[in-house]
Amino acid sequence: MIYKKGLTLLAATLISLSSFAQLPEKVGGLLSVDRTAANLSKNESPLAGLKYIIDKETTFLVPSPVNASNYLANRPNLPDRLSWNPNFALVSRSLNWGVTSGPIEFQKMGSIKRYGQYLTIWKRDRKGNWRAHLRAEVENYGKKKASPLEYYEPDDKNYLKHRSVKRLEQREEVVLQTDELFSTILKADTKTGYTEFMADDARFYFPWQNEIEGRDNILAFLKKERIEIDTDPNDVGRSYSGEFAYTSGTATVGTKDKVVKFNYIRIWQLTDEFQWKVILEMMFER
């Protein structure tokens, strides 16, 4: 169970605030990096803002995965204006892994302003600097005001410090197997899959839809739009402390009138009952 507004849970504290100045140190440090990059993008150039957060291992999903350093070196067709503002963030207990997401705005000169959501998975480099590990975006109509910032500030509880690479890979495999089970159930019934594996307050980013918050609202949206989803995971990453992870892969999404090929990213949290639940999912067209 997740407790809001300052109450703690096994993995973290979830708090809703509107001001970055009030943030505690750990998650505040990550949000500061993301916010600095957003300001560079807005006030200098999108290229400057994106270069600020990458290293040689960063992957952008645009929508296919590309090496971000090579992608930006080739002067891609970036918008003339790009800004974003995180309204969701988390940092793991090990302080080496985090997530930010929120609304974006972008525009080509002479064209209308466009809107969407972004998702960035972060890792710390050897110097302790936050660098984007994976970043993706999905477009929407921008008709809804973004919800207030919510974040997970890690607590000080101990965690197992594994040194074996094999053991770390085994722990990631557990998450991948969980996503494979989720995917198997989705093939039989989308509603059952999302009911079983989504957290109560999960977030859902889907093309041309406002950010959807809460499992019940996600299920209502899927039912209303008659959406059927099949997924196939192919990548996984897990925080060193173990309580957060991500999976990504491909999806086939059937709607009322067509079938569309998608990519997806899922952010997972290990609950105090030792169950993995999706706390954020982004779907975007391939």
Side-chain angles (χ1 to χ4, degrees), residues 5 18 42 69 100-101 107 115 118 167 175 205 211 234:
K5 298 187 183 299
S18 60
K42 181 178 180 179
S69 182
T100 58
S101 69
Q107 187 175 19
Y115 304 87
Y118 81 96
R167 178 56 181 152
V175 184
Y205 300 158
E211 178 183 42
N234 56 33

Side-chain angles (χ1 to χ4, degrees), residues 37-46 49 81-84:
N39 286 335
L40 279 171
S41 178
K42 181 178 180 179
N43 298 321
E44 188 173 327
S45 72
R81 296 175 180 173
L82 170 65
S83 62
W84 64 89

Side-chain angles (χ1 to χ4, degrees), residues 18-220:
S18 60
S19 171
F20 284 91
Q22 302 176 58
L23 294 174
E25 178 181 1
K26 296 169 186 176
V27 75
L30 174 58
L31 282 165
S32 178
V33 172
D34 199 14
R35 196 182 188 194
T36 297
N39 286 335
L40 279 171
S41 178
K42 181 178 180 179
N43 298 321
E44 188 173 327
S45 72
L47 183 63
L50 293 172
K51 278 189 171 182
Y52 182 78
I53 63 174
I54 70 166
D55 61 17
K56 293 181 179 180
E57 297 181 356
T58 303
T59 296
F60 285 171
L61 291 164
V62 290
S64 299
V66 298
N67 177 273
S69 182
N70 294 338
Y71 176 74
L72 294 179
N74 291 327
R75 295 284 174 170
N77 187 27
L78 295 174
D80 297 298
R81 296 175 180 173
L82 170 65
S83 62
W84 64 89
N85 185 30
N87 71 340
F88 177 84
L90 64 84
V91 171
S92 68
R93 283 186 186 136
S94 49
L95 306 181
N96 74 319
W97 200 93
V99 174
T100 58
S101 69
I104 60 171
E105 297 181 0
F106 56 101
Q107 187 175 19
K108 282 281 190 180
M109 295 302 292
S111 301
I112 62 171
K113 184 184 291 187
R114 297 162 69 179
Y115 304 87
Q117 298 283 149
Y118 81 96
L119 170 63
T120 304
I121 298 169
W122 301 80
K123 290 185 177 181
R124 284 192 189 270
D125 64 18
R126 292 183 178 181
K127 296 181 179 179
N129 299 313
W130 284 110
R131 293 290 181 257
H133 173 67
L134 193 68
R135 181 181 171 100
E137 299 173 359
V138 62
E139 194 166 354
N140 61 35
Y141 294 113
K143 292 182 177 180
K144 179 184 175 183
K145 183 179 178 181
S147 58
L149 172 67
E150 291 187 339
Y151 63 85
Y152 292 81
E153 173 74 0
D155 59 34
D156 296 323
K157 291 185 178 180
N158 292 326
Y159 56 89
L160 293 175
K161 296 177 173 61
H162 297 281
R163 298 185 182 275
S164 165
V165 173
K166 183 176 181 180
R167 178 56 181 152
L168 292 172
E169 290 175 348
Q170 289 173 341
R171 293 166 81 239
E172 289 188 342
E173 185 64 24
V174 170
V175 184
L176 187 62
Q177 290 172 355
T178 303
D179 200 348
E180 289 172 346
L181 178 59
F182 186 4
S183 299
T184 298
I185 295 174
L186 286 176
K187 286 178 172 60
D189 184 66
T190 296
K191 178 182 177 181
T192 300
Y194 277 85
T195 300
E196 179 66 25
F197 286 92
M198 300 296 278
D200 291 345
D201 60 347
R203 294 172 179 238
F204 191 61
Y205 300 158
F206 194 85
W208 308 112
Q209 300 296 320
N210 296 319
E211 178 183 42
I212 303 173
E213 296 183 68
R215 180 178 57 196
D216 290 346
N217 291 329
I218 295 169
L219 290 170

